[in-house]
Amino acid sequence: MTAAELHVHTKVVVNKFIRMSFKPTWIFLFFFLCAFQAFAQKNAKATLSGYIRDASSGEALLGATVIVKNTTTGAVANNFGFYSLTLDKGTYIIECKYIGFNSQIDTINLQSDITRNFELGTTVITTQEYTVTDDLTKQNTESTRMSTIELKMEEVRKMPVIFGEVDVLKTIQLLPGVAGAAEGTSGFYVRGGGPDQNLILLDNATVYNASHLFGFFSVFNSDAIRNVELVKGGMPARYGGRLSSVLDISMKEGNMREWHGQGGIGLIASRMAVEGPIVKDKLSVLASARRTYIDLLLLPFSGEGSDLEGNSYFFYDLNAKVQWKIGEKDRLYLSGYYGEDVFAFQSPSGDLGIDIPWGNGIASLRWNHQFSSKLFLNTTATFSDYSFRTAAEDEDFSFELRSGIRDYSLKTDFSWIPNPNHTLRFGTEMIFHEFTPSTAQATLEDNAIGVPSAQTLYAHDWMLYAEDDWDISTRWKLNYGFRLSYFQHTGPFDRFVKGPDGLNTDTISYGTFDNIQDYYRAEPRLALRFRINENSSLKGAFTVNYQNLHLANLATVSLPTDIWLPSTEIIPPQESMQWNVGYFRNFLNDKIETSVELYYKHMNNLIEYRDNSSFGDIVNDNPDNILSIGKGRSWGMELFIKKSVGRLTGWIGYTLAWTQRFDFPKDEVSYDGDFFYPRYDRRHDVSITATYEISDKWTVSGIFVFSSGNVLAVPSEFYFLGNDIVPFFTDRDNYRMMPYHRMDLSATYQVHKNDKWESSLNISIYNVYSRLNPFFIFFDAQDNEETETLQFQGKQVSLFPIIPAVTWNFSF
């Protein structure tokens, strides 16, 4: 069966599932079967449950394990440290473990439901190779999860980075299946998908633009982050709304026991974070801040009369979180983020000034409640706002352009653990979207000018999901679920109807809350694990994903001018089907994890700007009128080898992949043949990271990356149109730049360490051998006097040569 036939056959099956899924009988049957299985032997069982926390801070230890000694029966703590383990009545030796912490062993006489909280103390992990690991490393082979990688901030902080700034998103780019958008930037593509197909969450709130400095830094301050998880495939039903990946970032909760702080001073930025109890074991607070001082460094060179007078750039971000323990079964969390980039330009003559501020504002309010020893609730209300503004002004004329997106959401998640063989999750989410593609205003000599502006767009998202992680036997484990969604584009809205000549022929007006277009969708999810032996397993997954939001961009990297749009009657939701298979194996007593994965992904309803479109076109029109719709596919192989204990730690990742776009109307998008390779296509991608602890004082680390060059469109010829030189393109993304590779090195020296104060000096070198990697290519016109013709020569622009950096880090 060919890939095309497989796709058609699968779609028929999925459509049948969709028709069944919306029948209440099937939903009722799903929960009835789960409930029947859970209560079949209720009388002979009892439940051990509680929370697992860090003894020094009270912070939840997500992923900590509670197991029955000398068995494979156990439970894993959720994101809030809650675990539940239902067993036959009897006496058990219970062990609680978490990597980097002392384990605890307790004898439990389980004759009825018991609450047992664990508080684990940190331990000094020896650098000997016989270091014992905990059951977290076994998740590589034991769980149904595949294409999922969890990063600890201790690993991220040891990586050498550009300008010495620790960056979560740049670390993500070093993983197989993830490609960086461009040199030094924090944008990323996953398995051939665009940047809009990555769902980035910060404490469950969506982050729409995760970049500072036009993509060179991410918005995440490492001092405020607790955990990072990337899901590339086999996405469980609790996640949705994007086709390619989920990057789930959790902030620290705040120390409940003691006041602590940490920070760093670097060449271009400094950061600081403090956390501690307001009321011990009851109420805590976390606050962090970061700011660059590029503008301050330029002050000596931007005095009156200099060419840099009035020019400035800086960014800052703030994180805050409050945790309130209401009772033993209730906690409330309030977290927030605000960050802004501020760019100002003043012409040397002083007659033109440009201001470009943009930023994100995010708030999240969460309530945890434990209903019983088996049922846990997390309810989250979030607010997310991304805005971009450009303002230009001279003596007589001023112009301002605004764009952005704003979300209000409410989500409820239940976790029900009826027995050790089943973990059920179900919930619902509602989101209200408000899109501002572009709003313009202008004045001339203090008189307002009528400038057409794109309309504000409104949409509603409703989702319902359920999933079950089922241990069928010692060899077989299954995660199955479904996700139902309803999306509605509503008024007020004016639809401009186009004639054959592209001109407006009519306008259809919709009132407030009028239904313009809606979509019902069902997304089945399936992941299966077959355990070959104690150290290896086979896994497979099939997922259907729908995405109701679209990102229209003209650049190869994520920029503040990118426009977010809802699905409309012209642009349906994006959709994908992804198949994954993989072999997973651990070596040397679980100290080394390995995996090989194969994937194939088919995508529908992808968008591209039509040929010769510009950002200004959407000001006078509905944005979806200048977009073209087509399909895509990507497939490849990913190899991952990771060592996480001992003196030497790190990983090796390799990706071999293909990404294609096809079925775009050729009168709107130019390309030769049946398909074209988009800018997300990278044939080869290699990353090697290593960290070596020389002694208690010295730690060194290194990175080497190699990838195929970016794909871009270059003109095949130039012609004169009046007095203007116009490029002519015969194909889209028809040229691949030179391969990208570089090596980074760093060394960290422990300056001082005791119970109250710790400081270290990090020296890093970015691009050690100063490889001039291509960033973009431009064409320079040269006059040939002999032939009296213009000759155009392509020239490569490279950004970063070798860059050393020094950062002083401290904690107290």
Side-chain angles (χ1 to χ4, degrees):
M1 181 180 290
T2 66
E5 291 172 334
L6 177 63
H7 168 66
V8 172
H9 178 73
T10 306
K11 194 165 186 177
V12 170
V13 174
V14 171
N15 286 335
K16 291 181 180 178
F17 178 86
I18 290 173
R19 289 193 293 271
M20 291 189 300
S21 295
F22 281 98
K23 295 181 180 180
T25 304
W26 287 95
I27 299 175
F28 172 78
L29 181 60
F30 174 84
F31 287 105
F32 173 78
L33 290 175
C34 295
F36 177 79
Q37 196 168 28
F39 290 109
Q41 297 179 341
K42 183 180 187 317
N43 293 334
K45 295 181 180 294
T47 300
L48 174 69
S49 64
Y51 293 85
I52 307 173
R53 300 191 177 277
D54 184 338
S56 63
S57 66
E59 186 108 357
L61 297 179
L62 67 157
T65 56
V66 173
I67 61 171
V68 179
K69 193 73 173 173
N70 300 321
T71 74
T72 59
T73 302
V76 179
N78 68 9
N79 285 358
F80 306 99
F82 176 75
Y83 77 93
S84 176
L85 181 60
T86 300
L87 303 166
D88 293 330
K89 293 179 179 179
T91 301
Y92 299 92
I93 299 176
I94 301 295
E95 184 175 13
C96 181
K97 300 194 294 183
Y98 191 68
I99 191 167
F101 287 75
N102 292 314
S103 61
Q104 285 187 15
I105 298 177
D106 197 1
T107 300
I108 304 291
N109 184 14
L110 192 63
Q111 300 300 325
S112 60
D113 290 353
I114 292 177
T115 298
R116 172 68 163 91
N117 297 326
F118 291 93
E119 293 192 349
L120 305 184
T122 56
T123 184
V124 177
I125 301 179
T126 73
T127 56
Q128 301 296 320
E129 287 299 320
Y130 56 76
T131 301
V132 178
T133 61
D134 74 351
D135 286 347
L136 273 178
T137 55
K138 291 186 179 293
Q139 293 296 313
N140 180 54
T141 56
E142 294 295 327
S143 74
T144 56
R145 299 194 317 171
M146 60 186 307
S147 308
T148 301
I149 300 175
E150 184 175 328
L151 290 177
K152 296 187 179 300
M153 291 309 300
E154 290 79 7
E155 297 175 313
V156 177
R157 292 189 184 99
K158 293 177 181 178
M159 299 288 183
V161 288
I162 188 170
F163 300 124
E165 276 297 299
V166 176
D167 197 315
V168 170
L169 297 190
K170 287 191 179 65
T171 305
I172 290 296
Q173 296 173 11
L174 301 174
L175 299 173
V178 183
E183 165 84 46
T185 67
S186 57
F188 63 99
Y189 310 136
V190 176
R191 291 184 172 179
D196 62 314
Q197 295 177 0
N198 303 316
L199 177 62
I200 302 177
L201 300 173
L202 179 63
D203 272 1
N204 277 353
T206 303
V207 180
Y208 281 99
N209 189 303
S211 300
H212 286 305
L213 190 55
F214 300 100
F216 290 103
F217 297 99
S218 76
V219 300
F220 304 112
N221 185 344
S222 62
D223 291 337
I225 296 174
R226 177 182 61 160
N227 189 69
V228 179
E229 183 179 75
L230 176 69
V231 183
K232 301 177 294 180
M235 196 179 296
R238 60 186 178 273
Y239 291 123
R242 298 295 189 275
L243 299 191
S244 291
S245 75
V246 177
L247 181 62
D248 196 350
I249 299 176
S250 302
M251 289 176 57
K252 293 179 179 177
E253 294 179 349
N255 197 311
M256 278 279 197
R257 307 286 167 77
E258 299 175 324
W259 280 95
H260 288 281
Q262 65 184 95
I265 299 175
L267 293 180
I268 66 169
S270 292
R271 65 188 194 279
M272 181 69 187
V274 293
E275 57 179 321
I278 298 176
V279 179
K280 189 174 182 179
D281 290 326
K282 190 75 173 179
L283 184 66
S284 68
V285 64
L286 163 73
S288 70
R290 179 176 58 159
R291 190 191 191 278
T292 59
Y293 27 77
I294 303 174
D295 55 326
L296 302 179
L297 296 175
L298 289 176
L299 280 178
F301 309 99
S302 57
E304 186 176 351
S306 71
D307 290 342
L308 294 177
E309 181 183 1
N311 295 327
S312 176
Y313 172 80
F314 66 91
F315 73 76
Y316 65 91
D317 44 45
L318 307 169
N319 292 82
K321 190 168 187 176
V322 176
Q323 176 188 188
W324 178 26
K325 182 181 177 182
I326 303 172
E328 290 301 320
K329 295 185 177 183
D330 294 274
R331 288 187 184 239
L332 200 65
Y333 303 86
L334 176 62
S335 57
Y337 165 85
Y338 184 78
E340 186 178 33
D341 289 65
V342 180
F343 173 76
F345 169 78
Q346 187 78 36
S347 65
S349 61
D351 57 357
L352 175 63
I354 299 175
D355 291 310
I356 308 178
W358 70 93
N360 293 279
I362 294 170
S364 176
L365 178 64
R366 291 185 295 168
W367 169 49
N368 294 163
H369 177 68
Q370 181 187 338
F371 284 101
S372 69
S373 59
K374 299 180 180 181
L375 185 61
F376 186 86
L377 165 72
N378 180 53
T379 297
T380 308
T382 66
F383 167 80
S384 179
D385 178 78
Y386 166 67
S387 62
F388 166 76
R389 182 175 68 89
T390 299
E393 183 177 4
D394 63 12
E395 294 180 355
D396 300 319
F397 177 76
S398 66
F399 177 81
E400 183 175 281
L401 182 70
R402 294 177 179 268
S403 64
I405 181 172
R406 178 175 294 176
D407 282 357
Y408 305 86
S409 75
L410 180 64
K411 184 178 183 181
T412 298
D413 300 285
F414 290 90
S415 296
W416 181 34
I417 311 170
N419 57 56
N421 296 328
H422 288 273
T423 300
L424 286 94
R425 298 179 177 90
F426 53 94
T428 184
E429 183 177 12
M430 297 173 288
I431 306 175
F432 174 67
H433 303 282
E434 184 178 328
F435 306 83
T436 307
S438 64
T439 300
Q441 61 184 40
T443 60
L444 178 62
E445 296 181 348
D446 297 328
N447 296 316
I449 302 175
V451 179
S453 293
Q455 308 169 67
T456 300
L457 308 177
Y458 303 93
H460 303 265
D461 249 331
W462 287 271
M463 282 79 71
L464 176 70
Y465 77 89
E467 65 176 86
D468 180 21
D469 208 31
W470 179 17
D471 265 313
I472 302 172
S473 67
T474 56
R475 289 190 178 272
W476 293 96
K477 189 172 185 177
L478 175 68
N479 183 288
Y480 62 100
F482 63 88
R483 186 178 182 91
L484 306 178
S485 66
Y486 173 68
F487 182 82
Q488 185 183 36
H489 176 209
T490 63
F493 179 70
D494 289 333
R495 165 62 65 190
F496 301 124
V497 182
K498 297 291 186 179
D501 55 1
L503 300 177
N504 293 342
T505 60
D506 194 11
T507 300
I508 303 174
S509 296
Y510 296 89
T512 303
F513 297 121
D514 283 353
N515 182 24
I516 302 170
Q517 181 68 46
D518 55 9
Y519 296 95
Y520 298 87
R521 293 290 186 265
E523 305 171 37
R525 309 287 175 84
L526 185 68
L528 183 66
R529 182 224 68 196
F530 174 71
R531 188 170 180 261
I532 300 172
N533 54 44
E534 187 180 36
N535 299 314
S536 62
S537 63
L538 291 172
K539 300 182 186 181
F542 169 72
T543 58
V544 175
N545 289 69
Y546 288 93
Q547 179 172 326
N548 296 310
L549 307 186
H550 305 263
L551 183 68
N553 59 1
L554 290 168
T556 58
V557 297
S558 179
L559 293 177
T561 51
D562 295 345
I563 302 300
W564 285 93
L565 300 170
S567 295
T568 65
E569 70 273 32
I570 293 178
I571 306 175
Q574 301 179 62
E575 61 181 72
S576 75
M577 293 183 185
Q578 184 171 174
W579 296 261
N580 302 269
V581 293
Y583 174 68
F584 297 76
R585 183 177 177 85
N586 289 358
F587 294 91
L588 301 177
N589 195 26
D590 298 324
K591 286 194 283 288
I592 297 178
E593 306 171 40
T594 66
S595 64
V596 179
E597 295 188 44
L598 304 175
Y599 69 90
Y600 177 82
K601 180 165 60 175
H602 183 94
M603 296 168 281
N604 292 327
N605 305 325
L606 306 181
I607 65 169
E608 294 275 352
Y609 270 115
R610 295 178 183 174
D611 290 345
N612 302 315
S613 296
S614 67
F615 179 71
D617 292 339
I618 64 173
V619 174
N620 304 309
D621 202 349
N622 299 132
D624 51 8
N625 279 336
I626 61 171
L627 299 173
S628 184
I629 302 174
K631 299 178 181 179
R633 56 185 169 235
S634 62
W635 67 97
M637 177 193 73
E638 297 171 2
L639 170 68
F640 191 53
I641 303 172
K642 182 179 181 181
K643 184 176 185 292
S644 53
V645 295
R647 285 183 181 271
L648 177 66
T649 59
W651 68 74
I652 300 173
Y654 171 68
T655 305
L656 173 66
W658 289 262
T659 299
Q660 297 173 351
R661 297 290 185 265
F662 60 98
D663 280 0
F664 284 85
K666 291 195 174 182
D667 59 337
E668 298 175 354
V669 176
S670 300
Y671 60 98
D672 291 332
D674 297 328
F675 61 87
F676 65 93
Y677 292 106
R679 55 185 172 272
Y680 318 123
D681 178 66
R682 304 285 173 80
R683 190 70 63 249
H684 302 279
D685 199 308
V686 180
S687 60
I688 302 173
T689 75
T691 299
Y692 185 69
E693 297 181 9
I694 300 174
S695 66
D696 292 340
K697 289 284 189 179
W698 283 99
T699 300
V700 295
S701 61
I703 292 173
F704 175 77
V705 295
F706 173 91
S707 67
S708 300
N710 284 358
V711 177
L712 72 160
V714 297
S716 58
E717 57 184 353
F718 295 83
Y719 63 90
F720 281 98
L721 183 62
N723 294 323
D724 297 326
I725 299 175
V726 180
F728 178 73
F729 296 87
T730 58
D731 201 359
R732 175 167 293 219
D733 297 338
N734 57 358
Y735 177 78
R736 188 179 295 275
M737 292 192 290
M738 295 292 290
Y740 176 96
H741 57 87
R742 76 169 199 276
M743 177 185 288
D744 308 333
L745 297 175
S746 74
T748 301
Y749 176 70
Q750 192 80 46
V751 178
H752 182 79
K753 184 176 182 179
N754 58 31
D755 293 338
K756 295 183 178 181
W757 175 262
E758 182 177 337
S759 68
S760 63
L761 196 65
N762 178 269
I763 302 170
S764 64
I765 303 176
Y766 180 88
N767 197 2
V768 171
Y769 50 86
S770 200
R771 159 77 173 178
L772 296 179
N773 287 300
F775 187 68
F776 66 86
I777 292 176
F778 74 96
F779 286 82
D780 184 32
Q782 297 179 351
D783 188 5
N784 190 321
E785 296 181 357
E786 294 182 0
T787 61
E788 296 183 351
T789 60
L790 282 177
Q791 294 180 344
F792 292 87
Q793 182 180 7
K795 294 185 178 181
Q796 172 183 302
V797 174
S798 301
L799 283 186
F800 300 118
I802 182 172
I803 299 178
V806 179
T807 304
W808 177 56
N809 297 303
F810 57 88
S811 62
F812 56 88

